[in-house]
Amino acid sequence: ANGEFDEALKHFEEAHRVSAESSEALGRIGDCHHQLGRVREAYRYYTWARREDPLFESARHVLIEGAALARQGDLEAARQRILQATELDESLTEAWNELGWVLLALGRTEEAMNVVRRAVELEPEHPGLLANLLFCCRRLPLGAVAAQVAPRRGPLLPGCGRG
């Protein structure tokens, strides 16, 4: 998959050379760097895109800002920012997963469980989701865990037993 993003990165860098002020090209370059695990480089391009167009918004950019707020200990601001990332891109699994961790840190375990379930629905194989889900289950009372699992007809996670 990295080869695909490396190739896309080349195309978006060429588009940026053709139109240096294109916030869209800069944002897409940021997306490629983010997918390749180069978060600092992604943030640099997202910030550059916002300088070119103050209305530029990228869910991944907002997610990076929210995660930084969480690392600084401003959990409520992080929750709000990461929630905004999920609103910008409802399919961004990393945002739902990060939101789950922030909600756990805020002591909002049941809410975190629902958010993590959303992430699992989007991308069951996403790294970190199983640990996040298990952590939620350990923090919820047994009855609450049963209530989360019981209404479902299948396993909580694909490929797992009944839950």
Side-chain angles (χ1 to χ4, degrees), residues 113 117 120-121 124-125 130 133 137 145 148-163:
M113 178 66 123
R117 181 185 292 144
V120 168
E121 289 169 358
E125 305 295 321
L130 182 58
L133 184 62
C137 288
V145 172
Q148 292 284 335
V149 175
R152 301 175 58 87
R153 299 246 178 224
L156 194 57
L157 290 171
C160 295
R162 175 77 179 116

Side-chain angles (χ1 to χ4, degrees), residues 88-128:
L88 288 169
D89 183 353
E90 293 180 0
S91 68
L92 188 58
T93 307
E94 305 106 286
W96 292 102
N97 191 42
E98 189 71 25
L99 182 58
W101 278 113
V102 168
L103 289 167
L104 282 170
L106 286 167
R108 296 161 70 168
T109 309
E110 288 189 45
E111 206 175 331
M113 178 66 123
N114 290 329
V115 165
V116 171
R117 181 185 292 144
R118 173 72 176 129
V120 168
E121 289 169 358
L122 289 169
E123 189 180 343
E125 305 295 321
H126 189 276

